[in-house]
Amino acid sequence: MRKTRLALVSLLAVVVAGLVADPVAAQASASAELINGLNGKLLYIAVPITILVEVILLYTVVKFRNNDDPSPTQENRRLEITWTIATAIILLFVGVASYGVLANENVTAGPEIESTQGEPVVVHAEAYQWGWEMSYPESGNFSTGTEIVVPKDRPVQIQVTSRDVIHGFHVPKLALKTDAMPGQVNTIKTVAYEEGTYQGYCTEYCGVAHSQMYFTVEVVSQDEYQQWLDEQQSSE
């Protein structure tokens, strides 16, 4: 009994530590920071629970392996109250932590998102069988094929749609993902923190050439982005 209480108290201590723990690793975008941070906090709960359950399971198997005449377990109200409270605290933590991430504008996908972090770069991503057409509707409405170029440390909105069947827009390293639906625009938002080229692809099986639906997101400095933007506009 005392050992069980000690295990539950230890589990609750880990949950509390998870509330204040922040990941230290640099993230590529605001979306990745939020999602990976939530995953890290949930691991503080999932790992101890998994270990506790496995220890109890192994203990039970070993202790009662030769018991041919099992008897019912006696009722223990204190133990029942303890694990009920522990479960409630864990579920409350998971709910609050998850809501804080899912309600964030850098994670939520929807028909339209209003930016609260300044003037965003708007990119229109239209999927088709079997490719992508990227354009910049608020910067001259020029097209860049399968390439998206965005500045570092500036809000970006990507308006995703499809001209034929259902496709999927996904950039794993930037934690960007949403469906490309015909007749509907889903907007995803983020802020890129790290310069570099990030691979994107379609995540919905859309036909024989589905595997060829790749695109790239290139994150550059603000000066490089402005220079690129000027070149694209002058070439129109």
Side-chain angles (χ1 to χ4, degrees):
M1 178 62 186
R2 183 175 298 176
K3 292 182 179 180
T4 303
R5 289 181 181 177
L6 179 60
L8 291 173
V9 170
S10 300
L11 180 59
L12 291 177
V14 172
V15 172
V16 173
L19 287 169
V20 298
D22 291 319
V24 296
Q27 301 294 333
S29 71
S31 304
E33 184 176 57
L34 288 164
I35 295 171
N36 293 335
L38 175 61
N39 288 338
K41 288 181 178 180
L42 294 183
L43 279 176
Y44 280 100
I45 302 174
V47 172
I49 290 177
T50 301
I51 294 175
L52 177 61
V53 170
E54 293 302 319
V55 168
I56 294 175
L57 178 62
L58 292 173
Y59 169 80
T60 304
V61 170
V62 172
K63 182 174 181 178
F64 300 103
R65 66 186 185 278
N66 296 320
N67 189 352
D68 297 326
D69 186 23
S71 58
T73 302
Q74 294 182 353
E75 180 181 0
N76 189 319
R77 289 190 177 183
R78 290 184 178 180
L79 179 59
E80 292 176 1
I81 292 173
T82 300
W83 73 44
T84 299
I85 294 175
T87 302
I89 293 174
I90 291 171
L91 292 178
L92 180 63
F93 166 70
V94 171
V96 172
S98 299
Y99 179 81
V101 171
L102 295 175
N104 191 282
E105 62 182 0
N106 289 313
V107 173
T108 303
E112 184 178 354
I113 296 177
E114 293 184 4
S115 175
T116 61
Q117 299 178 341
E119 189 66 25
V121 174
V122 179
V123 181
H124 186 78
E126 185 177 42
Y128 61 90
Q129 292 177 310
W130 288 275
W132 296 88
E133 185 64 34
M134 312 300 185
S135 59
Y136 289 70
E138 298 187 6
S139 302
N141 203 28
F142 56 86
S143 299
T144 59
T146 59
E147 180 186 38
I148 296 176
V149 178
V150 297
K152 175 184 175 182
D153 297 329
R154 182 175 169 185
V156 177
Q157 286 188 7
I158 303 177
Q159 302 170 345
V160 183
T161 188
S162 169
R163 69 177 67 162
D164 41 46
V165 300
I166 298 176
H167 299 276
F169 181 98
H170 188 31
V171 188
K173 292 292 182 64
L174 296 177
L176 298 176
K177 186 176 184 182
T178 190
D179 288 331
M181 308 285 289
Q184 177 178 315
V185 177
N186 288 331
T187 302
I188 50 179
K189 180 180 178 297
T190 193
V191 178
Y193 295 148
E194 298 289 334
E195 295 183 23
T197 301
Y198 300 89
Q199 184 72 63
Y201 55 87
C202 175
T203 54
E204 296 284 351
Y205 182 68
C206 53
V208 295
H210 162 71
S211 61
Q212 300 176 16
M213 287 188 63
Y214 288 99
F215 62 91
T216 59
V217 178
E218 185 174 357
V219 180
V220 298
S221 66
Q222 179 60 45
D223 292 339
E224 290 179 276
Y225 173 73
Q226 189 60 52
Q227 181 180 356
W228 176 85
L229 190 62
D230 293 340
E231 291 174 354
Q232 298 300 316
Q233 292 173 336
S234 63
S235 63
E236 290 294 314

